[in-house]
Amino acid sequence: MGIFTQRGIKVGHNKRTSSIQPVRIEHCETVTLLMKQHIGVPCKPLVNPGDRVALGQVVGDTDAPLAAPIHASISGTVKRLEMIRVPSGEDVQAVVINTDGEMRPAENLEPPSIGTREDFFAAVRASGLVGLGGAGFPAHAKLRSAAKDANILLVNAAECEPYITADHREALDKGEAVIRGIRAICEALEIREAIIGIESNKSDAIQKLKALSTWHSSANLKISVGVLPSRYPQGAEKMMIHTLTGRVVPLGKLPSAVGALVMNVASVAFIGRYIKNGKPLVSRTVTVDGGAVHTPMNVRVPIGIGLEELITFCGGLDSPPAKIILGGPMMGSASPNLETVISKCNNSLLLFTRAQAELMQESACIRCGKCVAGCPMKLMPCVLESAYRAGDLETLTKRDAMGCIECGSCSFVCPAKRELVQRIRMGKRLLREEEAKRKEAAKA
Amino acid sequence: MSEPKNSETKKSNANPAPNNSAERPAAPQVLPQVLVSTSPHIRGVRTTRGVMLDVCLALLPALAAAVWYFGLRALVVTAISIASCVLLEYLSRKIMKRPQTVGDLSAVVTGMLLAFNLPATLPLWMIPLGALVAIVVVKQMFGGLGQNFVNPAITARIVLMVSFAGEMTKWAPPLDGKLRWATDAVASATPLKVLSGGEMPTESLLDLFLGKHGGSLGETCALALLLGAAYLCIFKVITPLIPGFYIGTVALFAFIFGGFDWHFALAEVLGGGLILGACFMATDYSTSPIHWKGKVVFAIGCGLLTGLIRFYGNMPEGVSFSILLMNLLVPLLENLTAPKAFGKEGKHHGKTRKAS
């Protein structure tokens, strides 16, 4: 039944920035460090306007467990603290630093000494690492929660979103760091098997990682490369776990329920680098692409760089952007202006021309079933969408709207151009509100 | 319990105290030409119009065959059918003050399919009547494209059939590509009629396959219809599930109940409207199940009903009635065969497979 059950969709790759190494931005005028670049509790600024800060110095932290500290990504002077509205609509406090042009590193940056598992978690927390693939879940919290159950580490280098090649370059250029990261994680969590999952369209990275993983495998730790079909959304955790291990994550559960720990390849490579040089998370690779930008490329940027400065680095704009997307075209968020900054979990900045940004008018559902065939979670998007429009919470629950991973495959394939995932998202919100109401009522 | 107090606190939230206001960001500037929307930001190239156009293209070989066998009148019947469907679609949207949808080409598809279900010799004034049933009664009155619960063209055919039984079953014998206006409207028996009389049709199986026999203008040439269906399958407009299971079920039924005679079974498959019905009418999106399991059940149901009507019913042909009946069952099938969400079964837990 393979042809009837093959899920996911084919999306044009548009990965034209994969052939050259990322270019590092050496000089950056200003960075704006958001105090919330992760899922969880926002950090509190630890510096005041006028303070001199060094590269890698902690400028924001909190006692809350679900958070990761923020480090200065350039050296210079704190200009001001301000509130910034991020594309998600949230208002977030930010520390603005003006460069002194020196990139002077902080004095206490040393490789962490790791003896126990707890040391490892503490080191990962101190490094400021959050999931670099886009979700931004604090890495130490993820590792800690996975420690008990995980028996396999899956390194996510699928990069199934169009345009983005940042992870592809990471896998290709930082293969050694990836392996070092895998070994560190597996050692700390006593995991004996690791698979690097990578889509078949990245043959150079597959070759390199295959060679490295064979070389570094041992009796205690088997490292291998799993080639994934180039089908969106293979990089989604649950899809990847299924393809690589055959395990099915129960609906509504986390990967740890089947003993899997999935980490983005850039996060793993970062851990590999961090345990060697102790340099916290102050920069990341960002793919800048889209028809409006002059030179599409991968850029190694200091975290917190403004979009305007980044675009200038990429040769400026060829035409005024009609859509500004942080993240991939399938799951990224659109920004209304260029006043936003790159945060830890932004893997890409896309500047679309009018032709690229134009969306077609919605028309009636013709019940072609493309959304159902394409849904990686085996949901019925068209049914959920009409249930949302009817306010039919019963159908939303019965047909598992909460299982939607919001990958956008349904909206992509819909010939009637219906806003399927958009409305399912709203439907999930309705369900969550309803659930909250019920809990409230139960309490009273 | 204290309404005024609540509204006051709300107000004070809306107008923050002066010491807070310094920290509040100014309303973000929206660049005038920048679009903001939620993801996904790109869409596939397939459109409703494209899908309909594909179906029209897939019907063209059969139209050519119709002209070859039944003369230019077949083309005129098709043209009138398409024109009346499009015009009625346009008018009903206009009168109902709904967004104009005539550009999606679905009315063209309905027009072509309706014509294919009519004999080439049908009096021309009956055609708009059929279009009225298909477009206005069946499709637009129930909300337009995607909302109709029975197939418009099939319902129209059935209405015409019961209204004008004589005209609708006067089959002209086929011409042989001599491009003429029309065949003489002599009543000739269709292969199915002969079959239901317990005899083998006079045509060879090859003639049946090529369409050289009496019947509705678009249903006779199996070769052309299958070519069109293959085109639709290759470009993933339809899946081969419904045609395959429908035709397969009828063939098996005829083979078993026809005394295990494959010649007879093939004549049953090729002699009537089965190929047209299975490939182009039963696969109609609006009136067939979405999920593949539902499609299989739907197709087998169509096949069984067709066999039952042909063998034990009063009529020689049962394709349109079986599709109509199964159309009515689609909401039920849809409910029974809805896919289980990924991870809901929970039967694979812990099973491990080695990565390649």
Side-chain angles (χ1 to χ4, degrees), chain B residues 55 57-63 65-66 113 116 208-211 213 216-233 238 243 247 269-270 272-281:
Chain B
V55 180
L57 287 177
L59 286 170
L60 284 183
L63 181 61
L113 286 173
F116 280 22
L208 289 182
F209 182 66
L210 294 177
H213 59 88
S216 299
L217 69 90
E219 74 179 16
T220 63
C221 185
L223 173 69
L225 289 167
L226 290 175
L227 270 179
Y231 171 84
L232 291 185
C233 289
I238 62 170
I247 296 171
V269 168
L270 298 173
L274 177 63
I275 309 273
L276 175 66
C279 297
F280 292 97
M281 322 280 279

mmCIF file of all heavy atoms in Angstrom, chain B residues 55 57-63 65-66 113 116 208-211 213 216-233 238 243 247 269-270 272-281:
data_model
loop_
_atom_site.group_PDB
_atom_site.id
_atom_site.type_symbol
_atom_site.label_atom_id
_atom_site.label_comp_id
_atom_site.label_asym_id
_atom_site.label_seq_id
_atom_site.Cartn_x
_atom_site.Cartn_y
_atom_site.Cartn_z
ATOM 1 N N VAL B 55 -9.210 17.749 -16.929
ATOM 2 C CA VAL B 55 -10.305 16.823 -17.211
ATOM 3 C C VAL B 55 -10.831 17.054 -18.623
ATOM 4 O O VAL B 55 -11.082 16.108 -19.374
ATOM 5 C CB VAL B 55 -11.431 16.958 -16.165
ATOM 6 C CG1 VAL B 55 -12.562 15.991 -16.470
ATOM 7 C CG2 VAL B 55 -10.891 16.706 -14.765
ATOM 8 N N LEU B 57 -9.180 18.216 -21.183
ATOM 9 C CA LEU B 57 -8.200 17.669 -22.117
ATOM 10 C C LEU B 57 -8.333 16.147 -22.194
ATOM 11 O O LEU B 57 -8.282 15.569 -23.277
ATOM 12 C CB LEU B 57 -6.778 18.038 -21.675
ATOM 13 C CG LEU B 57 -6.369 19.491 -21.888
ATOM 14 C CD1 LEU B 57 -4.970 19.736 -21.345
ATOM 15 C CD2 LEU B 57 -6.436 19.849 -23.378
ATOM 16 N N ALA B 58 -8.540 15.543 -21.023
ATOM 17 C CA ALA B 58 -8.626 14.084 -20.981
ATOM 18 C C ALA B 58 -9.865 13.582 -21.713
ATOM 19 O O ALA B 58 -9.908 12.432 -22.146
ATOM 20 C CB ALA B 58 -8.644 13.606 -19.529
ATOM 21 N N LEU B 59 -10.868 14.436 -21.872
ATOM 22 C CA LEU B 59 -12.095 14.020 -22.549
ATOM 23 C C LEU B 59 -11.999 14.222 -24.066
ATOM 24 O O LEU B 59 -12.841 13.723 -24.821
ATOM 25 C CB LEU B 59 -13.298 14.796 -21.997
ATOM 26 C CG LEU B 59 -13.768 14.384 -20.594
ATOM 27 C CD1 LEU B 59 -14.787 15.375 -20.058
ATOM 28 C CD2 LEU B 59 -14.371 12.982 -20.619
ATOM 29 N N LEU B 60 -10.978 14.955 -24.503
ATOM 30 C CA LEU B 60 -10.887 15.267 -25.932
ATOM 31 C C LEU B 60 -10.743 14.029 -26.837
ATOM 32 O O LEU B 60 -11.400 13.973 -27.881
ATOM 33 C CB LEU B 60 -9.745 16.263 -26.189
ATOM 34 C CG LEU B 60 -10.064 17.716 -25.805
ATOM 35 C CD1 LEU B 60 -8.903 18.634 -26.153
ATOM 36 C CD2 LEU B 60 -11.338 18.196 -26.478
ATOM 37 N N PRO B 61 -9.902 13.046 -26.487
ATOM 38 C CA PRO B 61 -9.815 11.869 -27.375
ATOM 39 C C PRO B 61 -11.181 11.216 -27.585
ATOM 40 O O PRO B 61 -11.522 10.840 -28.709
ATOM 41 C CB PRO B 61 -8.870 10.920 -26.624
ATOM 42 C CG PRO B 61 -8.132 11.757 -25.661
ATOM 43 C CD PRO B 61 -8.974 12.944 -25.353
ATOM 44 N N ALA B 62 -11.963 11.133 -26.505
ATOM 45 C CA ALA B 62 -13.284 10.512 -26.622
ATOM 46 C C ALA B 62 -14.194 11.361 -27.493
ATOM 47 O O ALA B 62 -15.025 10.838 -28.251
ATOM 48 C CB ALA B 62 -13.892 10.309 -25.246
ATOM 49 N N LEU B 63 -14.015 12.688 -27.428
ATOM 50 C CA LEU B 63 -14.831 13.568 -28.269
ATOM 51 C C LEU B 63 -14.476 13.340 -29.738
ATOM 52 O O LEU B 63 -15.354 13.267 -30.603
ATOM 53 C CB LEU B 63 -14.595 15.029 -27.866
ATOM 54 C CG LEU B 63 -15.408 16.074 -28.638
ATOM 55 C CD1 LEU B 63 -16.898 15.864 -28.436
ATOM 56 C CD2 LEU B 63 -15.021 17.487 -28.223
ATOM 57 N N ALA B 65 -13.295 10.639 -31.001
ATOM 58 C CA ALA B 65 -13.861 9.343 -31.393
ATOM 59 C C ALA B 65 -15.350 9.477 -31.665
ATOM 60 O O ALA B 65 -15.884 8.874 -32.607
ATOM 61 C CB ALA B 65 -13.613 8.317 -30.290
ATOM 62 N N ALA B 66 -16.034 10.307 -30.869
ATOM 63 C CA ALA B 66 -17.476 10.491 -31.049
ATOM 64 C C ALA B 66 -17.760 11.086 -32.422
ATOM 65 O O ALA B 66 -18.694 10.673 -33.121
ATOM 66 C CB ALA B 66 -18.023 11.391 -29.942
ATOM 67 N N LEU B 113 -19.398 16.089 -20.082
ATOM 68 C CA LEU B 113 -19.831 14.787 -19.576
ATOM 69 C C LEU B 113 -21.312 14.548 -19.887
ATOM 70 O O LEU B 113 -21.704 13.443 -20.247
ATOM 71 C CB LEU B 113 -19.580 14.689 -18.072
ATOM 72 C CG LEU B 113 -18.115 14.497 -17.687
ATOM 73 C CD1 LEU B 113 -17.943 14.577 -16.180
ATOM 74 C CD2 LEU B 113 -17.598 13.158 -18.204
ATOM 75 N N PHE B 116 -21.617 13.546 -23.441
ATOM 76 C CA PHE B 116 -21.109 12.186 -23.659
ATOM 77 C C PHE B 116 -22.141 11.135 -23.275
ATOM 78 O O PHE B 116 -22.064 9.997 -23.709
ATOM 79 C CB PHE B 116 -19.833 11.960 -22.833
ATOM 80 C CG PHE B 116 -18.607 12.549 -23.482
ATOM 81 C CD1 PHE B 116 -18.706 13.560 -24.417
ATOM 82 C CD2 PHE B 116 -17.346 12.065 -23.169
ATOM 83 C CE1 PHE B 116 -17.580 14.097 -25.018
ATOM 84 C CE2 PHE B 116 -16.213 12.588 -23.769
ATOM 85 C CZ PHE B 116 -16.340 13.614 -24.694
ATOM 86 N N LEU B 208 -15.664 -3.401 -30.120
ATOM 87 C CA LEU B 208 -16.198 -2.863 -28.863
ATOM 88 C C LEU B 208 -15.157 -1.965 -28.202
ATOM 89 O O LEU B 208 -15.467 -0.895 -27.685
ATOM 90 C CB LEU B 208 -16.580 -4.004 -27.910
ATOM 91 C CG LEU B 208 -17.813 -4.822 -28.286
ATOM 92 C CD1 LEU B 208 -18.075 -5.881 -27.224
ATOM 93 C CD2 LEU B 208 -19.038 -3.934 -28.458
ATOM 94 N N PHE B 209 -13.907 -2.410 -28.246
ATOM 95 C CA PHE B 209 -12.833 -1.638 -27.606
ATOM 96 C C PHE B 209 -12.621 -0.317 -28.335
ATOM 97 O O PHE B 209 -12.406 0.727 -27.717
ATOM 98 C CB PHE B 209 -11.547 -2.465 -27.604
ATOM 99 C CG PHE B 209 -10.399 -1.790 -26.921
ATOM 100 C CD1 PHE B 209 -10.432 -1.545 -25.551
ATOM 101 C CD2 PHE B 209 -9.282 -1.389 -27.637
ATOM 102 C CE1 PHE B 209 -9.378 -0.919 -24.916
ATOM 103 C CE2 PHE B 209 -8.218 -0.753 -27.002
ATOM 104 C CZ PHE B 209 -8.272 -0.528 -25.644
ATOM 105 N N LEU B 210 -12.695 -0.355 -29.661
ATOM 106 C CA LEU B 210 -12.464 0.871 -30.431
ATOM 107 C C LEU B 210 -13.692 1.763 -30.473
ATOM 108 O O LEU B 210 -13.610 2.914 -30.865
ATOM 109 C CB LEU B 210 -12.029 0.517 -31.853
ATOM 110 C CG LEU B 210 -10.667 -0.169 -31.940
ATOM 111 C CD1 LEU B 210 -10.355 -0.548 -33.390
ATOM 112 C CD2 LEU B 210 -9.571 0.728 -31.386
ATOM 113 N N GLY B 211 -14.853 1.223 -30.093
ATOM 114 C CA GLY B 211 -16.034 2.062 -29.994
ATOM 115 C C GLY B 211 -16.954 1.992 -31.189
ATOM 116 O O GLY B 211 -17.842 2.824 -31.345
ATOM 117 N N HIS B 213 -19.685 0.809 -32.162
ATOM 118 C CA HIS B 213 -20.979 0.213 -31.847
ATOM 119 C C HIS B 213 -21.922 1.303 -31.375
ATOM 120 O O HIS B 213 -21.499 2.419 -31.089
ATOM 121 C CB HIS B 213 -20.822 -0.879 -30.778
ATOM 122 C CG HIS B 213 -20.228 -0.394 -29.489
ATOM 123 N ND1 HIS B 213 -20.986 0.109 -28.470
ATOM 124 C CD2 HIS B 213 -18.945 -0.327 -29.081
ATOM 125 C CE1 HIS B 213 -20.184 0.466 -27.472
ATOM 126 N NE2 HIS B 213 -18.954 0.217 -27.821
ATOM 127 N N SER B 216 -24.325 5.932 -26.322
ATOM 128 C CA SER B 216 -24.217 7.374 -26.134
ATOM 129 C C SER B 216 -22.959 7.849 -26.831
ATOM 130 O O SER B 216 -22.003 7.086 -26.995
ATOM 131 C CB SER B 216 -24.133 7.709 -24.653
ATOM 132 O OG SER B 216 -25.303 7.270 -24.003
ATOM 133 N N LEU B 217 -22.912 9.152 -27.188
ATOM 134 C CA LEU B 217 -21.861 9.551 -28.122
ATOM 135 C C LEU B 217 -20.457 9.460 -27.541
ATOM 136 O O LEU B 217 -19.503 9.190 -28.252
ATOM 137 C CB LEU B 217 -22.152 10.938 -28.699
ATOM 138 C CG LEU B 217 -22.078 12.193 -27.811
ATOM 139 C CD1 LEU B 217 -20.676 12.777 -27.835
ATOM 140 C CD2 LEU B 217 -23.072 13.222 -28.316
ATOM 141 N N GLY B 218 -20.318 9.638 -26.234
ATOM 142 C CA GLY B 218 -18.966 9.632 -25.684
ATOM 143 C C GLY B 218 -18.574 8.344 -24.995
ATOM 144 O O GLY B 218 -17.471 8.215 -24.488
ATOM 145 N N GLU B 219 -19.462 7.371 -24.943
ATOM 146 C CA GLU B 219 -19.174 6.211 -24.101
ATOM 147 C C GLU B 219 -18.595 5.036 -24.866
ATOM 148 O O GLU B 219 -18.110 4.086 -24.272
ATOM 149 C CB GLU B 219 -20.452 5.752 -23.362
ATOM 150 C CG GLU B 219 -21.443 5.042 -24.269
ATOM 151 C CD GLU B 219 -22.689 4.562 -23.538
ATOM 152 O OE1 GLU B 219 -22.949 5.020 -22.420
ATOM 153 O OE2 GLU B 219 -23.405 3.744 -24.116
ATOM 154 N N THR B 220 -18.651 5.100 -26.216
ATOM 155 C CA THR B 220 -18.363 3.861 -26.941
ATOM 156 C C THR B 220 -16.883 3.535 -27.060
ATOM 157 O O THR B 220 -16.491 2.389 -26.980
ATOM 158 C CB THR B 220 -18.986 3.907 -28.356
ATOM 159 O OG1 THR B 220 -18.377 4.968 -29.082
ATOM 160 C CG2 THR B 220 -20.476 4.098 -28.282
ATOM 161 N N CYS B 221 -16.043 4.546 -27.254
ATOM 162 C CA CYS B 221 -14.641 4.259 -27.542
ATOM 163 C C CYS B 221 -13.834 4.073 -26.257
ATOM 164 O O CYS B 221 -13.342 5.033 -25.662
ATOM 165 C CB CYS B 221 -14.031 5.353 -28.397
ATOM 166 S SG CYS B 221 -12.343 4.967 -28.878
ATOM 167 N N ALA B 222 -13.685 2.832 -25.836
ATOM 168 C CA ALA B 222 -12.956 2.538 -24.605
ATOM 169 C C ALA B 222 -11.506 3.000 -24.709
ATOM 170 O O ALA B 222 -10.930 3.516 -23.746
ATOM 171 C CB ALA B 222 -13.016 1.040 -24.316
ATOM 172 N N LEU B 223 -10.919 2.830 -25.872
ATOM 173 C CA LEU B 223 -9.520 3.216 -26.064
ATOM 174 C C LEU B 223 -9.311 4.695 -25.735
ATOM 175 O O LEU B 223 -8.443 5.057 -24.936
ATOM 176 C CB LEU B 223 -9.094 2.941 -27.510
ATOM 177 C CG LEU B 223 -7.710 3.446 -27.889
ATOM 178 C CD1 LEU B 223 -6.646 2.652 -27.172
ATOM 179 C CD2 LEU B 223 -7.489 3.374 -29.399
ATOM 180 N N ALA B 224 -10.167 5.553 -26.335
ATOM 181 C CA ALA B 224 -10.007 6.993 -26.120
ATOM 182 C C ALA B 224 -10.253 7.359 -24.659
ATOM 183 O O ALA B 224 -9.530 8.183 -24.076
ATOM 184 C CB ALA B 224 -10.966 7.756 -27.022
ATOM 185 N N LEU B 225 -11.255 6.726 -24.053
ATOM 186 C CA LEU B 225 -11.576 7.032 -22.660
ATOM 187 C C LEU B 225 -10.438 6.613 -21.736
ATOM 188 O O LEU B 225 -10.056 7.338 -20.813
ATOM 189 C CB LEU B 225 -12.865 6.327 -22.248
ATOM 190 C CG LEU B 225 -14.150 6.899 -22.876
ATOM 191 C CD1 LEU B 225 -15.306 5.945 -22.659
ATOM 192 C CD2 LEU B 225 -14.458 8.269 -22.296
ATOM 193 N N LEU B 226 -9.857 5.433 -22.011
ATOM 194 C CA LEU B 226 -8.765 4.957 -21.156
ATOM 195 C C LEU B 226 -7.528 5.820 -21.330
ATOM 196 O O LEU B 226 -6.786 6.062 -20.372
ATOM 197 C CB LEU B 226 -8.459 3.487 -21.469
ATOM 198 C CG LEU B 226 -9.548 2.512 -21.012
ATOM 199 C CD1 LEU B 226 -9.235 1.104 -21.473
ATOM 200 C CD2 LEU B 226 -9.713 2.555 -19.494
ATOM 201 N N LEU B 227 -7.306 6.303 -22.553
ATOM 202 C CA LEU B 227 -6.190 7.236 -22.773
ATOM 203 C C LEU B 227 -6.363 8.464 -21.883
ATOM 204 O O LEU B 227 -5.433 8.904 -21.204
ATOM 205 C CB LEU B 227 -6.159 7.693 -24.240
ATOM 206 C CG LEU B 227 -5.335 6.860 -25.197
ATOM 207 C CD1 LEU B 227 -5.440 7.442 -26.614
ATOM 208 C CD2 LEU B 227 -3.873 6.864 -24.754
ATOM 209 N N GLY B 228 -7.587 9.012 -21.903
ATOM 210 C CA GLY B 228 -7.867 10.188 -21.082
ATOM 211 C C GLY B 228 -7.692 9.894 -19.605
ATOM 212 O O GLY B 228 -7.100 10.678 -18.861
ATOM 213 N N ALA B 229 -8.173 8.720 -19.178
ATOM 214 C CA ALA B 229 -8.057 8.360 -17.760
ATOM 215 C C ALA B 229 -6.592 8.201 -17.366
ATOM 216 O O ALA B 229 -6.171 8.617 -16.280
ATOM 217 C CB ALA B 229 -8.827 7.079 -17.487
ATOM 218 N N ALA B 230 -5.788 7.624 -18.280
ATOM 219 C CA ALA B 230 -4.362 7.462 -17.995
ATOM 220 C C ALA B 230 -3.712 8.827 -17.817
ATOM 221 O O ALA B 230 -2.888 9.046 -16.909
ATOM 222 C CB ALA B 230 -3.688 6.693 -19.125
ATOM 223 N N TYR B 231 -4.098 9.770 -18.675
ATOM 224 C CA TYR B 231 -3.567 11.131 -18.556
ATOM 225 C C TYR B 231 -3.881 11.702 -17.172
ATOM 226 O O TYR B 231 -3.013 12.260 -16.504
ATOM 227 C CB TYR B 231 -4.182 11.993 -19.662
ATOM 228 C CG TYR B 231 -3.902 13.470 -19.546
ATOM 229 C CD1 TYR B 231 -2.725 14.012 -20.043
ATOM 230 C CD2 TYR B 231 -4.826 14.333 -18.944
ATOM 231 C CE1 TYR B 231 -2.465 15.362 -19.939
ATOM 232 C CE2 TYR B 231 -4.570 15.688 -18.838
ATOM 233 C CZ TYR B 231 -3.399 16.199 -19.333
ATOM 234 O OH TYR B 231 -3.137 17.543 -19.215
ATOM 235 N N LEU B 232 -5.128 11.524 -16.731
ATOM 236 C CA LEU B 232 -5.522 12.061 -15.424
ATOM 237 C C LEU B 232 -4.764 11.383 -14.284
ATOM 238 O O LEU B 232 -4.410 12.014 -13.290
ATOM 239 C CB LEU B 232 -7.029 11.900 -15.211
ATOM 240 C CG LEU B 232 -7.926 12.755 -16.094
ATOM 241 C CD1 LEU B 232 -9.381 12.578 -15.690
ATOM 242 C CD2 LEU B 232 -7.538 14.225 -16.021
ATOM 243 N N CYS B 233 -4.511 10.078 -14.436
ATOM 244 C CA CYS B 233 -3.780 9.365 -13.379
ATOM 245 C C CYS B 233 -2.324 9.820 -13.344
ATOM 246 O O CYS B 233 -1.754 10.041 -12.273
ATOM 247 C CB CYS B 233 -3.847 7.858 -13.605
ATOM 248 S SG CYS B 233 -5.474 7.175 -13.297
ATOM 249 N N ILE B 238 -6.667 12.259 -10.746
ATOM 250 C CA ILE B 238 -7.422 11.217 -10.077
ATOM 251 C C ILE B 238 -6.452 10.090 -9.717
ATOM 252 O O ILE B 238 -5.328 10.044 -10.223
ATOM 253 C CB ILE B 238 -8.565 10.650 -10.959
ATOM 254 C CG1 ILE B 238 -7.989 10.014 -12.231
ATOM 255 C CG2 ILE B 238 -9.565 11.720 -11.294
ATOM 256 C CD1 ILE B 238 -9.007 9.233 -13.040
ATOM 257 N N PRO B 243 -11.639 3.857 -10.882
ATOM 258 C CA PRO B 243 -11.799 3.139 -12.162
ATOM 259 C C PRO B 243 -11.402 1.673 -12.046
ATOM 260 O O PRO B 243 -12.139 0.781 -12.501
ATOM 261 C CB PRO B 243 -10.865 3.887 -13.111
ATOM 262 C CG PRO B 243 -10.677 5.228 -12.516
ATOM 263 C CD PRO B 243 -10.802 5.059 -11.034
ATOM 264 N N ILE B 247 -14.323 -1.122 -12.507
ATOM 265 C CA ILE B 247 -14.304 -1.964 -13.701
ATOM 266 C C ILE B 247 -13.988 -3.409 -13.318
ATOM 267 O O ILE B 247 -14.618 -4.357 -13.807
ATOM 268 C CB ILE B 247 -13.279 -1.414 -14.725
ATOM 269 C CG1 ILE B 247 -13.727 -0.029 -15.190
ATOM 270 C CG2 ILE B 247 -13.136 -2.361 -15.917
ATOM 271 C CD1 ILE B 247 -12.710 0.709 -16.018
ATOM 272 N N VAL B 269 -17.885 -5.292 -20.046
ATOM 273 C CA VAL B 269 -17.083 -4.150 -19.644
ATOM 274 C C VAL B 269 -17.059 -3.092 -20.746
ATOM 275 O O VAL B 269 -17.177 -1.894 -20.494
ATOM 276 C CB VAL B 269 -15.646 -4.604 -19.291
ATOM 277 C CG1 VAL B 269 -14.714 -3.413 -19.158
ATOM 278 C CG2 VAL B 269 -15.658 -5.403 -17.995
ATOM 279 N N LEU B 270 -16.919 -3.556 -22.006
ATOM 280 C CA LEU B 270 -16.691 -2.612 -23.099
ATOM 281 C C LEU B 270 -17.972 -2.137 -23.771
ATOM 282 O O LEU B 270 -17.987 -1.100 -24.435
ATOM 283 C CB LEU B 270 -15.795 -3.269 -24.154
ATOM 284 C CG LEU B 270 -14.393 -3.659 -23.686
ATOM 285 C CD1 LEU B 270 -13.676 -4.452 -24.762
ATOM 286 C CD2 LEU B 270 -13.593 -2.430 -23.310
ATOM 287 N N GLY B 272 -20.987 -0.983 -22.780
ATOM 288 C CA GLY B 272 -21.882 0.077 -22.335
ATOM 289 C C GLY B 272 -21.152 1.311 -21.857
ATOM 290 O O GLY B 272 -20.098 1.659 -22.366
ATOM 291 N N GLY B 273 -21.715 1.931 -20.849
ATOM 292 C CA GLY B 273 -21.148 3.187 -20.371
ATOM 293 C C GLY B 273 -20.192 3.008 -19.209
ATOM 294 O O GLY B 273 -19.840 3.987 -18.540
ATOM 295 N N LEU B 274 -19.743 1.775 -18.985
ATOM 296 C CA LEU B 274 -18.946 1.511 -17.783
ATOM 297 C C LEU B 274 -17.635 2.294 -17.745
ATOM 298 O O LEU B 274 -17.313 2.916 -16.725
ATOM 299 C CB LEU B 274 -18.654 0.010 -17.661
ATOM 300 C CG LEU B 274 -17.764 -0.365 -16.484
ATOM 301 C CD1 LEU B 274 -18.421 -0.031 -15.163
ATOM 302 C CD2 LEU B 274 -17.382 -1.837 -16.519
ATOM 303 N N ILE B 275 -16.894 2.289 -18.859
ATOM 304 C CA ILE B 275 -15.575 2.928 -18.845
ATOM 305 C C ILE B 275 -15.741 4.434 -18.599
ATOM 306 O O ILE B 275 -15.047 5.022 -17.763
ATOM 307 C CB ILE B 275 -14.832 2.685 -20.178
ATOM 308 C CG1 ILE B 275 -14.832 1.208 -20.525
ATOM 309 C CG2 ILE B 275 -13.431 3.268 -20.115
ATOM 310 C CD1 ILE B 275 -13.726 0.416 -19.947
ATOM 311 N N LEU B 276 -16.697 5.045 -19.325
ATOM 312 C CA LEU B 276 -16.941 6.472 -19.124
ATOM 313 C C LEU B 276 -17.357 6.740 -17.679
ATOM 314 O O LEU B 276 -16.835 7.628 -17.013
ATOM 315 C CB LEU B 276 -18.044 6.960 -20.080
ATOM 316 C CG LEU B 276 -18.493 8.407 -19.896
ATOM 317 C CD1 LEU B 276 -17.372 9.371 -20.231
ATOM 318 C CD2 LEU B 276 -19.718 8.720 -20.750
ATOM 319 N N GLY B 277 -18.280 5.935 -17.179
ATOM 320 C CA GLY B 277 -18.763 6.128 -15.817
ATOM 321 C C GLY B 277 -17.672 5.936 -14.786
ATOM 322 O O GLY B 277 -17.514 6.741 -13.868
ATOM 323 N N ALA B 278 -16.895 4.883 -14.942
ATOM 324 C CA ALA B 278 -15.889 4.550 -13.936
ATOM 325 C C ALA B 278 -14.739 5.553 -13.939
ATOM 326 O O ALA B 278 -14.204 5.894 -12.881
ATOM 327 C CB ALA B 278 -15.358 3.142 -14.171
ATOM 328 N N CYS B 279 -14.334 6.005 -15.130
ATOM 329 C CA CYS B 279 -13.161 6.878 -15.211
ATOM 330 C C CYS B 279 -13.500 8.341 -14.993
ATOM 331 O O CYS B 279 -12.681 9.096 -14.459
ATOM 332 C CB CYS B 279 -12.466 6.720 -16.560
ATOM 333 S SG CYS B 279 -11.822 5.074 -16.832
ATOM 334 N N PHE B 280 -14.670 8.782 -15.421
ATOM 335 C CA PHE B 280 -14.931 10.220 -15.406
ATOM 336 C C PHE B 280 -16.109 10.653 -14.542
ATOM 337 O O PHE B 280 -16.203 11.806 -14.173
ATOM 338 C CB PHE B 280 -15.149 10.722 -16.837
ATOM 339 C CG PHE B 280 -13.896 10.661 -17.668
ATOM 340 C CD1 PHE B 280 -13.657 9.607 -18.516
ATOM 341 C CD2 PHE B 280 -12.939 11.667 -17.563
ATOM 342 C CE1 PHE B 280 -12.502 9.543 -19.267
ATOM 343 C CE2 PHE B 280 -11.780 11.611 -18.304
ATOM 344 C CZ PHE B 280 -11.550 10.546 -19.163
ATOM 345 N N MET B 281 -17.036 9.737 -14.258
ATOM 346 C CA MET B 281 -18.204 10.158 -13.486
ATOM 347 C C MET B 281 -18.083 9.720 -12.026
ATOM 348 O O MET B 281 -18.344 10.493 -11.118
ATOM 349 C CB MET B 281 -19.492 9.568 -14.068
ATOM 350 C CG MET B 281 -19.527 9.520 -15.570
ATOM 351 S SD MET B 281 -19.953 11.090 -16.309
ATOM 352 C CE MET B 281 -21.694 11.045 -16.132
#
